Amino acid sequence: MRLINRQADREVSMEELNQVLTQASNFVWSYIIVGLCLAGGIYTTLRLLFVQFRAVPHALALLRGKYEDTDSQDGITTFQALATALSGTTGIGTMAGVAIAIKLGGPGAIFWMWTMALLGMALKFVEATLGSMYRGDIGGRHEMGGGPMYYIVKGLGERWRPLAVFYAGCAAIACIGAWNMFQANQAAANLESAFNIPTWITGAVLSIFAALVLAGGIARIGKVAARLVPAMCIIYVTTVLGLCLWHIQQIPAVLIVIWEHAFDFQSAGGGVLGSAVLVGIRRAIFSNEAATGSAAIAHAAAHTSHPVRQGIAASLGPFIDTLMICAATAFVILLSGYYGNESYQNGSGTVLQLSEVELPENTSWHIGFSDMPDDNHPLQHFTSGGSALVYRPLDGQSQPSILELDLAPLLRAQHDSKDTGNAIRFSTVGSVPSTQAELIGPDGAVLANTLVEASPTWGSWIIVPEPQTWSRMITEPDSGKWQLRLSPSANREIWIDRVELVEDTNGIVLSSAAFAKFFGAFGNIFIPVAALFFAYTTILAGAYYGEVACHFLRESWVKPYLVLYIISAFLGCVLDLDLVINFSDLALGLMTIPNLIAMMVLTPLVARETRSYFAALKAGEFNGS
C-alpha cells in the first residue's frame, strides 16, 4: 500500500510540475518574448534603415557564390550556412505551427506571422553579423564557431559572462527538446498514423542517420543541409503553388479572410493585443527562430571576409521560412476551408442521415431536398446537396416550434466504428434567426449548448460536451434519449444540414487533412514524408547548436552531450513528451532574452559595420567571381 501511495504521489508531483512549467512557458512566451521581439524588430529595422529590404539583391548574389571567399576554407560556405540555419527552422513547425496559429488565433494570425517575419529579417541580420564578428576556433578541430554566448562575452565584456553562460545552458536544453525530441516525436506519430510504422522504428532510423552525419561535424551537416533543405523547400512550395494556380479564383478570398481577421482583436479569446496578434507573432518566432540566436551559431561557422555578408544572407531566412513555406501551408488550409469550426474533422464519416429522421406530426419542421439554398462562400462548403432539416412556419403560427432531434443513430454509428470524437457539429444555410442549440441528456438536463447567431449565408456550429458526458454518450448510446434541441428565437424559415460527430484537430493532423482534401492519397503520403525530412534536418541543426553551447560551457561535456542527443532522438519517438516539451519551450524562451539584450546593445556597432560594408561594395572593393 505504501508503494502504491508513493507511486501516486510521484504521478501527482510530475503532473503538478508539468502544470507549473506550462504556466511559466506560456507566461514567458506571451507578452515578454512577443513584446521584446516586436520592439527589437522595429528598433533594428529603423536603426539599420530597412537593411533587410535594401540588401535582398545582394543577398541573392551572395547565395549564388558571386562574392564567395576563395582564400579561406576554415568553415562552410555562405549558402551552406543559410541552409543549416534553415534546416533548424523548416521543421515540423512549418506544417504544424501554421495550423496551430490558425486554430488558436484564426486566419488573421497569418498576417501577424508575416509582419513578424519581415521584422525578424532585421533581427536575423543583426545576430548573424554579430556571430561572424565574434567567433573563434572551437573544439580544437580548426573549425570556426560562435553564437550569442561568444558575442555577449567578447562584445559586451567579461562582466557579462554569467548572461552568456545562462544563454548557453538554456540553448543546450532547448536543442534536446525543441530541435530534437519534439521533431522526432511528431514525425514518428505522423508516420504511425499514415502507414502504421511503429514509432520505435522511426526513432531508430532517425538516431542512426543523425549519428552518421553528426560524426562529420558542421562541415558534413552543412553539406547535407545544402542538398536536402533546398530540395524540400522547392518540392513543398511548388506543390502548393500548383494548387494555388489551380484555384486562382479563390486566392483573393483567402487574402481577404486573412486581412479581415487580422484586426479582429477580440477573436478566439481576445486579450490586450488580441489573440490573432499574439498567436501570430509567437508562431512566427517559433517558426523562423528570429532573436533566439540560432542563426548566429550557424553563420558563425561560415568562412567569410566580412561579417555583414553573413547577416545579409541570414536575413533571407525568415522570408523563406515564414513568408514562403509557412504561407504555403496556410494557403492550403484556408483554401480547404478547414479553419474555425471546420478544423473539427469527421474522420469516421459518421453523419446523421437527415432523410431518415422521424419528425412528429403537425410540426413546422420537415425534410427538404432539391430546393436547398445555394452556399456560394468561396472557401467553405457546408451543404451536402442532398437533404436538410427545414423549418417553415405554419399559417397563423405565432411562436416558433422547438425541434428535439434524436442522436441515437449517430451515437450508435460512432460506437460501432470505434473512432474517436469529442463534439457535435451542424450547419445552417441561408439567413437564420438566432437559435439556441442544446445537448439534452436522458434525464432532460442540458449538458452543453451554443447560440446560433444570425448569419447571412451559412454557419457551422459546434457543441462540445464534457469528456465524461461524451464518453457516456458513445459507450452507452441506448441508455436513454440523447437529443439535440433547437429553439429558434423568431418564427421564420431555417435550413439545417450536416449533423455529425467530429473530433477537434490541430497541428500536423489539420495540415494533413487539408492536403488530403486536394491531393487525396498523395496528400496522405506527402505530409508524413515531408515531415520526416523536415524533422531530420532540424535534428541535425539542433545538434550543432547544442554542441557549440557545450563547447562554451565545458569542453568535456561535448561528447556526452552528443551521445545524449542521439539517444534523445529515439526517446522522443516513443515517450510522452509533455514535460520535456514544456521544459524545453521555457528554455527556448529564456535563451531569447539575453540574446535580445546583447543584440540591442550591439546594434549601433552593427550599423557602423553595415555602412562600411556597403560603402566598400559601392567602391568596387569586392570583386564578384
Side-chain angles (χ1 to χ4, degrees):
M1 179 65 70
R2 183 176 299 174
L3 181 62
I4 294 175
N5 289 338
R6 287 178 179 174
Q7 183 177 356
D9 289 342
R10 282 197 298 270
E11 290 178 356
V12 171
S13 298
M14 293 297 288
E15 184 177 348
E16 290 176 346
L17 176 60
N18 192 38
Q19 290 177 352
V20 170
L21 289 174
T22 300
Q23 293 174 354
S25 178
N26 288 337
F27 176 74
V28 169
W29 274 103
S30 58
Y31 297 106
I32 295 179
I33 300 299
V34 168
L36 285 173
C37 288
L38 194 58
I42 294 173
Y43 169 69
T44 52
T45 295
L46 296 177
R47 187 69 176 80
L48 298 170
L49 303 176
F50 299 90
V51 67
Q52 68 266 47
F53 308 125
R54 293 188 291 116
V56 168
H58 187 54
L60 296 176
L62 288 174
L63 295 183
R64 292 196 306 269
K66 185 176 181 180
Y67 298 93
E68 198 66 65
D69 298 297
T70 57
D71 58 346
S72 175
Q73 297 298 324
D74 57 355
I76 57 179
T77 67
T78 297
F79 179 77
Q80 290 173 343
L82 178 61
T84 301
L86 281 173
S87 69
T89 61
T90 54
I92 298 296
T94 56
M95 291 176 284
V98 177
I100 292 171
I102 294 173
K103 176 75 174 182
L104 297 180
I110 303 304
F111 174 85
W112 297 105
M113 285 187 71
W114 293 341
T115 301
M116 190 61 222
L118 295 175
L119 297 175
M121 292 172 69
L123 293 172
K124 286 264 187 171
F125 175 87
V126 172
E127 62 185 11
T129 301
L130 291 172
S132 295
M133 288 175 64
Y134 300 104
R135 60 178 185 162
D137 184 16
I138 63 169
R141 296 183 299 191
H142 302 291
E143 290 183 355
M144 300 302 293
M149 50 277 188
Y150 288 89
Y151 58 70
I152 288 174
V153 172
K154 293 184 178 182
L156 300 180
E158 278 294 328
R159 67 182 184 277
W160 292 79
R161 181 171 287 273
L163 197 66
V165 170
F166 177 77
Y167 176 89
C170 288
I173 294 171
C175 286
I176 287 180
W179 272 274
N180 185 13
M181 297 183 76
F182 172 73
Q183 300 288 328
N185 177 271
Q186 292 295 291
N190 211 16
L191 287 173
E192 183 181 42
S193 175
F195 308 122
N196 292 320
I197 298 176
T199 55
W200 69 267
I201 292 180
T202 303
V205 171
L206 281 175
S207 298
I208 292 171
F209 277 89
L212 291 174
V213 175
L214 294 179
I218 183 59
R220 185 174 296 175
I221 293 174
K223 290 178 181 178
V224 172
R227 289 178 173 87
L228 281 181
V229 172
M232 291 188 304
C233 293
I234 290 172
I235 292 172
Y236 192 79
V237 173
T238 302
T239 301
V240 177
L241 182 61
L243 175 66
C244 291
L245 291 175
W246 187 259
H247 297 274
I248 189 68
Q249 73 280 3
Q250 293 178 282
I251 297 302
V254 170
L255 297 174
I256 290 172
V257 164
I258 292 173
W259 176 258
E260 289 178 344
H261 285 78
F263 300 96
D264 181 10
F265 291 161
Q266 294 306 314
S267 65
V272 176
L273 281 176
S275 63
V277 184
L278 194 62
V279 172
I281 292 175
R282 177 174 176 175
R283 296 321 307 180
I285 297 168
F286 264 111
S287 173
N288 58 54
E289 298 168 15
T292 64
S294 62
I297 300 175
H299 286 271
H303 53 76
T304 184
S305 60
H306 204 295
V308 172
R309 285 186 180 177
Q310 296 308 308
I312 292 171
S315 67
L316 290 178
F319 181 88
I320 296 172
D321 177 87
T322 306
L323 288 167
M324 289 180 60
I325 303 175
C326 288
T329 305
F331 270 59
V332 173
I333 293 174
L334 296 181
L335 279 170
S336 71
Y338 290 166
Y339 62 90
N341 286 338
E342 291 306 293
S343 64
Y344 284 79
Q345 297 296 306
N346 185 348
S348 64
T350 308
V351 179
L352 190 63
Q353 299 299 321
L354 298 179
S355 59
E356 300 175 4
V357 170
E358 294 184 5
L359 296 173
E361 296 181 0
N362 299 321
T363 179
S364 300
W365 292 90
H366 64 277
I367 306 299
F369 293 94
S370 59
D371 55 349
M372 180 184 294
D374 290 334
D375 171 25
N376 295 319
H377 192 274
L379 299 181
Q380 303 192 27
H381 305 281
F382 297 145
T383 60
S384 64
S387 59
L389 284 169
V390 183
Y391 174 76
R392 287 197 182 101
L394 299 174
D395 292 338
Q397 182 178 353
S398 59
Q399 295 297 324
S401 298
I402 295 175
L403 173 66
E404 293 183 342
L405 194 61
D406 184 12
L407 298 177
L410 201 62
L411 300 176
R412 287 193 209 101
Q414 183 79 4
H415 177 269
D416 294 341
S417 67
K418 293 182 171 53
D419 285 317
T420 56
N422 62 2
I424 296 170
R425 176 169 61 194
F426 65 95
S427 303
T428 60
V429 184
S431 179
V432 299
S434 295
T435 301
Q436 186 70 33
E438 301 168 310
L439 176 64
I440 308 297
D443 58 356
V446 177
L447 304 175
N449 66 82
T450 188
L451 179 63
V452 178
E453 298 180 352
S455 173
T457 55
W458 51 261
S460 183
W461 312 96
I462 299 291
I463 300 181
V464 185
E466 293 293 329
Q468 299 83 356
T469 299
W470 184 263
S471 178
R472 279 193 58 212
M473 291 169 61
I474 299 303
T475 57
E476 306 172 16
D478 297 314
S479 60
K481 281 191 175 182
W482 303 93
Q483 296 178 325
L484 175 63
R485 178 188 292 168
L486 301 173
S487 307
S489 62
N491 201 26
R492 69 173 197 262
E493 184 174 296
I494 302 173
W495 287 73
I496 294 174
D497 82 324
R498 203 184 58 166
V499 181
E500 58 190 337
L501 298 190
V502 291
E503 182 180 14
D504 189 11
T505 55
N506 201 352
I508 201 164
V509 176
L510 181 56
S511 299
S512 295
F515 272 85
K517 177 172 181 176
F518 294 110
F519 299 111
F522 173 75
N524 289 324
I525 296 173
F526 179 68
I527 288 295
V529 172
L532 177 64
F533 281 100
F534 278 139
Y536 176 60
T537 55
T538 303
I539 290 171
L540 294 181
Y544 177 68
Y545 299 158
E547 178 185 354
V548 174
C550 285
H551 276 300
F552 180 83
L553 293 170
R554 183 170 294 181
E555 198 71 33
S556 61
W557 291 358
V558 174
K559 288 184 178 179
Y561 178 84
L562 289 178
V563 172
L564 175 62
Y565 192 91
I566 293 170
I567 294 173
S568 297
F570 176 80
L571 295 177
C573 293
V574 298
L575 296 179
D576 183 3
L577 294 185
D578 282 351
L579 187 64
V580 175
I581 294 305
N582 284 326
F583 189 60
S584 61
D585 275 356
L586 179 60
L588 181 63
L590 292 175
M591 69 187 262
T592 304
I593 298 174
N595 182 47
L596 276 169
I597 293 173
M599 287 171 59
M600 295 307 99
V601 176
L602 294 172
T603 290
L605 175 62
V606 174
R608 290 197 296 271
E609 289 291 325
T610 303
R611 289 194 298 270
S612 172
Y613 178 81
F614 278 103
L617 181 66
K618 186 176 181 179
E621 295 182 16
F622 304 126
N623 294 320
S625 58

